[in-house]
Amino acid sequence: MNAAWDGDDSPVVGVVDPETDAIDAIEIDTALESVVADVDGTITSGTLETVLAAEPSVLVTGGEATLSAVARAGVDTPVVPVGPLTGIESVDRRRLPAAIEAALDGRAVRRKRPVLGVVLESADGDEWDVPAIRERALFDVTLVTDEPARISEYSLRDRGSDVATFRADGVVAATPAGSHGYASAVDAPQLSPAVNAVAVAPIGPFVTQTRQWVLPTAALTFAVEREESDASLVVDGRSVGTVTIGSQVSVSRADSLTMLAVPDDRLESA
């Protein structure tokens, strides 16, 4: 259930501005400083690590990469996303002071977004010899061949039961937020935020009538059954490992990221 968020006394507003995402840098202007000062709060900015060390009451992020980094960090601090974000309710940068004022005044609304746990278990040895790769995804998980036009065969299992085996360039599993981004380019179903599921679709399937699926996030398993090229595991746009025959990728819901939405009727002019 979504509920209004009551701000802290003397809140700390953390503005995340990692150097790797400088294009989405958020300027701390006089209006924002004034809003925070009015409630005896403070602003801290910098890399995600620096901001989290200040134990912020609320985080401000700009762009998809920064928001994904916050989800990977597993924080429980509520987040105000800023800028154009497909599939995410965000705030226009020019209205950020008004949005923060609304959040600190208790007029924001909590939105819970699912975060997926992703585990790549290598076929090159057991778990003691080759540690599993563990990641978290806010938007999507993709297996894709490293070389263009080199089709591999992928399998999909749901809670231990076979769902399908298909030949394709890859496969994507998207959360409700991610289903409006890259997954939409391969015509995957677009999911409502209220749905506790992922949309799964082949990428460049060999058979044009290959099915797509909406599946619960309890326990999905992807594997490469036959390969003509290595497949990369890509999590929220980041390549994190190589999937070979015998390896498997497990995807399940890990937890959620709390975002603060500020509907127009709750905004006041900054």
Side-chain angles (χ1 to χ4, degrees), residues 216-238:
T217 53
L220 298 177
T221 303
F222 298 88
V224 176
E225 302 296 337
R226 182 174 63 183
E227 62 182 355
E228 297 182 16
S229 172
D230 287 339
S232 292
L233 173 62
V234 181
V235 179
D236 280 359
R238 299 166 53 250

Side-chain angles (χ1 to χ4, degrees), residues 17-258:
D17 178 21
E19 295 179 0
T20 54
D21 205 22
I23 193 171
D24 291 312
I26 300 172
E27 295 180 0
I28 301 175
D29 58 17
T30 302
L32 182 57
E33 290 178 334
S34 177
V35 164
V36 177
D38 284 346
V39 291
D40 296 323
T42 57
I43 297 176
T44 183
S45 65
T47 64
L48 178 58
E49 182 179 16
T50 298
V51 170
L52 292 179
E55 299 183 351
S57 311
V58 59
L59 290 172
V60 177
T61 64
E64 184 174 302
T66 306
L67 190 58
S68 178
V70 170
R72 287 197 305 276
V75 303
D76 55 10
T77 305
V79 182
V80 176
V82 179
L85 287 165
T86 303
I88 295 288
E89 191 173 358
S90 59
V91 174
D92 185 278
R93 190 173 305 179
R94 294 169 296 181
R95 306 185 77 178
L96 178 58
I100 292 299
E101 180 179 7
L104 297 179
D105 195 37
R107 288 180 280 117
V109 177
R110 286 180 179 268
R111 309 286 197 206
K112 294 283 191 179
R113 291 288 187 167
V115 176
L116 302 177
V118 184
V119 180
L120 168 59
E121 296 178 308
S122 174
D124 296 332
D126 59 34
E127 59 180 330
W128 294 276
D129 295 326
V130 182
I133 294 175
R134 300 179 185 277
E135 289 287 337
R136 293 162 61 89
L138 179 65
F139 295 101
D140 51 38
V141 180
T142 306
L143 279 68
V144 61
T145 53
D146 288 340
E147 297 181 26
R150 297 298 296 271
I151 289 177
S152 296
E153 186 171 272
Y154 296 90
S155 64
L156 168 62
R157 294 170 64 84
D158 174 20
R159 291 166 289 184
S161 298
D162 292 335
V163 174
T165 300
F166 50 87
R167 298 186 68 200
D169 292 334
V171 58
V172 58
T175 67
S179 71
H180 296 263
Y182 172 72
S184 67
V186 295
D187 296 324
Q190 293 192 0
L191 305 180
S192 163
V195 175
N196 185 19
V198 292
V200 180
I203 300 169
F206 180 73
V207 177
T208 57
Q209 297 301 315
T210 300
R211 295 178 62 185
Q212 301 173 344
W213 305 269
V214 175
L215 298 169
T217 53
L220 298 177
T221 303
F222 298 88
V224 176
E225 302 296 337
R226 182 174 63 183
E227 62 182 355
E228 297 182 16
S229 172
D230 287 339
S232 292
L233 173 62
V234 181
V235 179
D236 280 359
R238 299 166 53 250
S239 180
V240 299
T242 299
V243 186
T244 58
I245 293 177
S247 301
Q248 68 175 22
V249 177
S250 301
V251 177
S252 60
R253 179 164 178 160
D255 50 37
S256 60
L257 180 65
T258 300

